[in-house]
Amino acid sequence: SQTIHQWPATLVQPVGSPLSLECTVEGTSNPNLYWYRQAAGRGLQLLFYSVGIGQISSEVPQNLSASRPQDRQFILSSKKLLLSDSGFYLCAWGDGSYEQYFGPGTRLTVT
Amino acid sequence: KNEVEQSPQNLTAQEGEFITINCSYSVGISALHWLQQHPGGGIVSLFMLSSGKKKHGRLIATINIQEKHSSLHITASHPRDSAVYICAVTVMDSNYQLIWGAGTKLIIKP
């Protein structure tokens, strides 16, 4: 069966520090991968999606970036965090149907 | 105006009450999803609909494609149903991208 992992589960980082959040999927190959963010009191917003290794599409221009170095690995990064980057980050994968499967999420607090 | 609108934003009800949460959308969709998010943050997919009605236990989801509207119903509500319920749509002709509603925070009091 398929499993999606995200880490860390929670993270507290100072403003200006770098960020790396990792998402990996098991049990499937060539998945579509997605990063979403939920800011406090707001709905989830698509940040990036990837349909294959090295293929990243950005939905929202900001100081975040994403990379897909391997088929089932999706990484969200920042060189310098802003206070406004605080939120709940959710990774998801899709198998080419309309269903998406979600990871446990990472709660990021930028102080 | 958001492409996916949910109502109400907040809902408090007594245990046993029949609950309805509404979702309207303004884009062409391939599917509509209802999801549940508990206080810890984890999201669970409840339903995926492209037409008609689906039922799972005490949960019922309906969709009217012509009216671009969906409802999530909870019968015989229970305090453990307390959560945020989120409507999301898969945009037609996209790479299965989801557009999310803001969520409805439901509290069921014993």
Side-chain angles (χ1 to χ4, degrees), chain A residues 2-108:
Chain A
Q2 299 87 3
T3 310
I4 180 168
H5 302 280
Q6 267 187 258
W7 63 89
T10 59
L11 190 59
V12 180
Q13 291 283 96
V15 168
S17 64
L19 173 74
S20 181
L21 302 181
E22 189 163 342
C23 171
T24 59
V25 181
E26 296 176 358
T28 187
S29 58
N30 197 32
N32 291 345
L33 295 172
Y34 306 86
W35 276 112
Y36 295 92
R37 178 174 65 193
Q38 185 179 41
R42 303 185 65 179
L44 280 149
Q45 181 183 40
L46 178 64
L47 300 176
F48 301 96
Y49 70 92
S50 171
V51 298
I53 296 174
Q55 300 178 62
I56 308 294
S57 296
S58 173
E59 290 297 303
V60 182
Q62 54 204 317
N63 69 318
L64 298 172
S65 62
S67 62
R68 186 170 177 174
Q70 299 179 45
D71 181 43
R72 289 169 287 179
Q73 185 184 30
F74 205 23
I75 298 172
L76 182 70
S77 304
S78 174
K79 291 182 180 177
K80 286 186 178 181
L81 283 169
L82 306 172
L83 284 174
S84 58
D85 292 324
S86 293
F88 183 69
Y89 289 82
L90 199 67
C91 178
W93 74 273
D95 59 4
S97 68
Y98 301 129
E99 195 75 64
Q100 287 189 21
Y101 307 90
F102 302 96
T106 296
R107 190 162 299 281
L108 171 66

